Amino acid sequence: IFMAVMAGGGYMHANKWAQREKVEVYDPAVFAHMADDAKRWSLQRWKDVQAIQIAMNRLNPNDAMEAVMKASQKAGAMANAAAQGGAEAPSSHQVPQAQR
């Protein structure tokens, strides 16, 4: 199945460049564009891997846990405030009785 998908994708990629260049699929210009696309794609994936490596080296588990705990405490405080405020005052989307 993988080989069929790869063949279909390769044909569609070649067809894209053939239509843009107004030539046949087997034209050397089509293969040159496909090779350039493959080179650019590979270079970008290499940059992505390098960026991931840098991010993993800079990651400090203690700092990450601290950030998660702060966010959790903030969310809990907001939920408590909403629960207490909801019982005492009408929400902003409700229309007061006098205006109906």
Side-chain angles (χ1 to χ4, degrees):
I1 295 176
F2 180 70
M3 293 300 285
V5 169
M6 291 295 291
Y11 175 76
M12 292 171 66
H13 195 177
N15 194 28
K16 173 187 81 170
W17 282 111
Q19 289 178 359
R20 286 186 183 177
E21 295 292 322
K22 296 181 179 27
V23 294
E24 294 296 325
V25 174
Y26 49 82
D27 193 272
V30 172
F31 292 114
H33 285 296
M34 288 177 63
D36 185 53
D37 283 350
K39 179 182 171 186
R40 288 178 186 216
W41 184 87
S42 299
L43 182 61
Q44 188 59 48
R45 297 301 73 80
W46 177 248
K47 289 178 182 179
D48 292 345
V49 167
Q50 289 176 325
I52 291 169
Q53 288 174 339
I54 290 170
M56 292 303 292
N57 286 335
R58 291 181 180 174
L59 178 69
N60 183 345
N62 294 330
D63 291 343
M65 185 57 95
E66 184 179 329
V68 168
M69 294 303 289
K70 283 183 181 178
S72 174
Q73 290 172 353
K74 184 177 179 180
M78 289 173 64
N80 287 337
Q84 291 174 356
E88 296 174 6
S91 65
S92 61
H93 69 277
Q94 291 179 341
V95 179
Q97 281 294 62
Q99 293 180 0
R100 287 187 187 178

